[in-house]
């Protein structure tokens, strides 16, 4: 089993918390759940807009050397910060980016390792938006992706030792990929400067002003490009803690109570 180098974006940004959240899946509960599954060994916490309560909470769980305060807020900014921190890691090292409060099932680590063996990008999240066509709004208010026809993507499904995987045109930012893959997507580190230079960066950052689903769709579309592959675990082994975007077919409240 491959253990990833994990980057967890933790923020108390009021804008992030405008969306309805399950009562059992607050920031601190989700982070505790994550630690119960992945531990702290290869973890960096990217923080923004922390409340005093969150500062005390994180200090009690994660060494200060593993926390990085971001100069600006937003998941795209956190992702770009992560890219500047890959220097020195082996190209084959698996990196897992967790975009804000996210619940994980107990077997998520095993499944993530398996997913990384079958696709360039793997995600434990099966987004309900992947079953909603472009330009339509589902009963939950989801804006769909434009690769969906007849309530699904044209794809293929494969099975690994612990899960089924659906190849998808774009996951969200809750993804895992190798260092080599991330840095060959047009991103490069200027030697000794720790600065990302990328032809996609303006488009990537402009997605911050778009609706949640469309923003994450577009961000990953630019990362994956024309030659990459992405696989999504079905049923999901992780979900963002947003009521409208909970992955289907999983008792997430039950997950919260057991991890």
């Amino acid at each position: 089993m491959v253990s990833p180098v994990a980057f967890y974006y933790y923020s108390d940004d009021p804008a992030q918390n405008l969306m309805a959240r399950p009562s059992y899946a607050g920031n601190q509960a989700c982070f505790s759940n994550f630690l119960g599954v992945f531990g702290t060994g290869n973890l960096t916490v990217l923080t923004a807009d922390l409340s005093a309560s969150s500062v005390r909470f994180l200090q009690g769980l994660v060494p200060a050397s593993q926390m990085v305060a971001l100069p600006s807020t937003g998941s795209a900014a956190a992702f770009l910060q992560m890219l500047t921190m890959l220097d020195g890691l082996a190209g084959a090292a698996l990196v897992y980016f967790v975009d804000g409060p996210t619940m994980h099932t107990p077997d998520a680590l095993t499944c993530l390792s398996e997913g990384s063996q079958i696709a360039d990008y793997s995600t434990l999240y099966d987004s309900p938006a992947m079953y909603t066509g472009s330009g339509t709004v589902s009963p939950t208010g989801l804006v769909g992706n434009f690769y969906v026809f007849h309530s699904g993507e044209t794809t293929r499904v494969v099975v690994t030792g612990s899960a089924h995987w659906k190849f998808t045109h774009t996951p969200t930012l809750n993804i895992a990929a190798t260092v080599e893959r991330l840095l060959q997507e047009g991103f490069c580190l200027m030697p000794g400067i720790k600065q990302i230079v990328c032809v996609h960066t303006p488009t990537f950052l402009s997605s911050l002003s778009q609706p949640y689903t469309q923003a994450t769709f577009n961000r990953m579309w630019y990362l994956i490009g024309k030659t990459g592959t992405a696989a999504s675990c079905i049923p999901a082994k992780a979900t963002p803690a947003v009521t409208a975007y909970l992955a289907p077919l999983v008792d997430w409240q039950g997950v919260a109570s057991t991890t």
Side-chain angles (χ1 to χ4, degrees), residues 11 28-29 34-35 39 65 119 129 164 179 186 192-193 214 219 224 231 241 255:
S11 172
Q28 295 185 13
F34 174 85
L35 293 186
S65 60
H164 286 83
V179 170
I193 299 180
Q214 201 61 50
R219 291 170 195 170
I224 293 173
V255 170

Side-chain angles (χ1 to χ4, degrees), residues 55-68:
V55 170
R56 292 191 298 270
F57 170 73
L58 291 172
Q59 287 176 341
L61 294 171
V62 182
S65 60
Q66 292 177 230
M67 292 194 287
V68 175

Side-chain angles (χ1 to χ4, degrees), residues 8 17 46 72 82-83 92 127 136 140 153 184 203-204 209 222 230:
Y8 192 110
N17 295 298
L46 305 172
S72 58
M82 177 196 73
L83 292 172
S127 171
T136 63
T140 60
E153 297 175 278
Q184 77 181 29
T203 304
F204 188 83
S209 62
Y222 281 101

Side-chain angles (χ1 to χ4, degrees), residues 1 3 42 98 123 130 136 138 140 162 200 223:
M1 180 173 64
S3 294
N42 293 314
V98 184
T123 178
M130 296 307 167
T136 63
S138 75
T140 60
S162 304
H200 297 327
L223 283 181

Side-chain angles (χ1 to χ4, degrees), residues 82-166:
M82 177 196 73
L83 292 172
T84 70
M85 301 175 70
L86 301 183
D87 192 25
L89 294 177
L94 183 65
V95 175
Y96 181 34
F97 181 78
V98 184
D99 181 14
T102 302
M103 298 294 299
H104 291 81
T105 62
D107 57 346
L109 176 56
T110 298
C111 291
L112 190 69
S113 176
E114 293 175 5
S116 70
Q117 304 302 308
I118 64 171
D120 298 315
Y121 294 93
S122 55
T123 178
L124 297 170
Y125 175 43
D126 181 31
S127 171
M130 296 307 167
Y131 306 95
T132 308
S134 177
T136 63
V137 179
S138 75
T140 60
L142 296 171
V143 179
N145 96 58
F146 49 75
Y147 284 103
V148 170
F149 301 94
H150 305 295
S151 301
E153 297 175 278
T154 300
T155 184
R156 65 189 180 96
V157 173
V158 301
V159 64
T160 59
S162 304
H164 286 83
W165 298 84
K166 180 190 76 171

Side-chain angles (χ1 to χ4, degrees), residues 13 78 95 145 187 189 196 219 231:
D13 176 17
V95 175
N145 96 58
F187 293 97
L189 282 170
I196 291 291
R219 291 170 195 170

